[in-house]
Each structure stands twice: as C-alpha cells, then as structure tokens.
Amino acid sequence: MRSRPYKGLVAVAAAAALTATACTAQDEAQQKPKEKSALFKSGSDISYQKYGKNYPTTKVKDVPGSCSYESISRKDYSGQTLKIISHAVPVIGEPTQLHAKQFEEITGGKVEVVNVPFGELHQKILTPLQAGQPAYDVMFYPSLWIGDMAPYLAPVPEKYLNTTGMQDVTAAYMDVATWDGKVVQYPVDGDRHYLKIRADVLKDPKWQAQYKKATGKDLKVPTTWTEYQDIAEAFSGKDFDGDGKKNYGSAEVTKRDDLTFSAFISRAAPYVKNPDEGPRVFRTGI
C-alpha cells in the first residue's frame, strides 16, 4: 500500500512473498492458555475501526475454525508476552501493530512489536538465532531467506496446515514456505513482479499525438525494455496529470540496502530464460 500519491507514468514493482515464522516455546506447558468465554460469534463481522483513523470502515468476515477470531478470543494469555519483529511502519509494520493491539485486547496477553527497516531485518533476526538466543516469537521476513532461517525453525504443526485458511493457499506459495520437504513458514503476503501504467495517459489522443511526433512511434503499453525506456524518457518532466507540476516518466525501486534486489530481478529474469527456448532442467545439490 502507498501512503502518498504516485507521480510516475509507468512503474516496475517487485517483492518476494512475505512469510512469518514462529519459534517454538521451550516450555509448551507454560504457554498453554486458559479458556474463557468467546468475545465473538462464529462468522461475525470483525471491525478495525477503533484501532486507528486509517481503518474507519474496514471489516472482515470471521472464518470459522481453530484460527478464527471466535476461537482465539476463547484463549486467555494473561501474564504472557509475545515478541514480534517486523518491517518498519507503514509497510507490513503498521498492520503488525494493528493486530498486536487487537490480540492483546481479545486474549489478555501482551505483545511487543519491534519495527526494523528492511535493510536491517535479516541481521536483526538471524544474529540472535545463530547465537542460540532467539529474541522473537514471531518473525516477518521475505520467504527467500528460508535457507538461512530453516535450521532454526520447527515444522508448522499439522493441525494448522489442515485449517481451512491454510488449505486455500496455492501450491506456489506453499512451495516457498517449504524446506527439505517440511513447511517451516506461514505464507502471509504473495507479491508479483509487474508493470503498472497510467492507462489514462497512454490512451489520451493528445499525448498519443505528441509521442508520435517526438518519436515516430505509436504510444502503447511497453512490451520490451527498449519501449519502456522510450516512454519513460519522452514523459519525464511533463505535467501529464494536470496539477501544474512536472512528473517522472517512470518510478522504480532504487533504495540501497533495501528492496533494490527485487527490482534487479525484474531486469535480470528476462535474460535468464528466453521465451523462445525449449524446456530447461535445473538441478541443485552439493
């Protein structure tokens, strides 16, 4: 989600599927919650309105099952603390804080959320694990880090894999949560590499005529990097949304030590596998 208006004509966005893991408790008997009366009825509407001004009308339908709001609200975690590490606010970090408040309210447990800039997330999670001193109960991170994290993670219990919500997750996302044949991560967010365009500008006869005059080419959705570059250059510095300010011809992820690697994948992938080639078999091993 973006908190500010987008000012580019075309954009490439890319990110890895986000996953969350939960470290196993050393004393499971101590973590077992007491039972109490449910705060929700099965299948009722759940509202986030009271948790912040950004959620005035957000509602979801509670899905019956062991992970439903109705079921979770029956558990009393009073006196226990859940430690979570997540991305910086607002992306991922903000909803983590939102649900932390909600979890505290309906279970009585305390939730401590540590928000970390993406560039520091890998180190903040992995270093305590390597030292044998896991600092968090729940960890949010890109699924592609599974190789680093897997040695420290226990398999997701079968009872959770068999819930309705988990069974609805497609194989593509379950694959990135699986290591050595075992599911060790919970798929939370599935992103894709994609091209986003200002269709209103590309279809505007005025801009089509100007582009044709300047380049000798028809203005259309780019299908190659060359066409992408041509459009980006032609529209850079133009006021194509009519607000009196110049816009950019394109917008991409370029922040160092952050998500630049995802943007690089968008560029590199077309050269790794040419669509005109036949099937290629990849084998991995030591």
Side-chain angles (χ1 to χ4, degrees), residues 10-146:
V10 293
V12 171
L18 181 74
T19 56
T21 61
C23 292
T24 56
Q26 295 180 356
D27 185 352
E28 293 188 5
Q30 182 181 357
Q31 300 297 319
K32 187 175 181 179
K34 295 176 288 186
E35 292 291 321
K36 60 183 180 65
S37 299
L39 300 178
F40 305 95
K41 293 182 179 179
S42 180
S44 60
D45 287 333
I46 308 299
S47 173
Y48 302 140
Q49 184 171 0
K50 61 183 176 182
Y51 298 107
K53 62 181 181 180
N54 294 328
Y55 308 95
T57 60
T58 304
K59 289 184 179 181
V60 296
K61 181 74 69 174
D62 192 18
V63 179
S66 59
C67 293
S68 66
Y69 283 92
E70 182 268 338
S71 178
I72 293 173
S73 70
R74 291 180 180 275
K75 296 176 171 57
D76 184 355
Y77 285 103
S78 299
Q80 299 190 46
T81 300
L82 190 66
K83 296 183 179 180
I84 300 175
I85 185 169
S86 184
H87 304 58
V89 174
V91 180
I92 305 302
E94 185 176 12
T96 302
Q97 292 183 348
L98 166 68
H99 289 289
K101 293 178 183 178
Q102 187 182 57
F103 188 83
E104 286 183 333
E105 181 178 297
I106 67 178
T107 69
K110 182 179 180 181
V111 183
E112 296 178 358
V113 179
V114 175
N115 296 108
V116 179
F118 182 81
E120 303 175 16
L121 193 60
H122 185 273
Q123 180 182 358
K124 294 289 187 181
I125 291 177
L126 192 58
T127 300
L129 293 175
Q130 291 174 328
Q133 300 175 337
Y136 306 100
D137 301 299
V138 179
M139 305 173 295
F140 288 87
Y141 57 81
S143 61
L144 54 86
W145 294 353
I146 188 172

Side-chain angles (χ1 to χ4, degrees), residues 254-265:
T254 58
K255 185 178 179 182
R256 186 176 180 179
D257 296 328
D258 208 296
L259 289 172
T260 304
F261 73 90
S262 288
F264 173 77
I265 292 173

Side-chain angles (χ1 to χ4, degrees), residues 1-13 194-202 228 231-232 235 240-243 245-253:
M1 296 174 64
R2 291 190 304 274
S3 58
R4 295 179 296 277
Y6 167 62
K7 294 296 184 180
L9 176 69
V10 293
V12 171
Y194 64 92
L195 175 72
K196 193 170 185 177
I197 64 169
R198 283 286 302 268
D200 60 324
V201 178
L202 266 61
Y228 176 91
I231 294 175
F235 281 90
F240 49 77
D241 59 8
D243 63 357
K245 299 178 182 179
K246 295 180 179 180
N247 300 114
Y248 295 101
S250 69
E252 296 195 31
V253 178

Side-chain angles (χ1 to χ4, degrees), residues 211-223:
Y211 186 78
K212 182 74 171 182
K213 181 178 180 181
T215 67
K217 303 175 183 178
D218 293 328
L219 182 58
K220 61 179 183 178
V221 177
T223 57

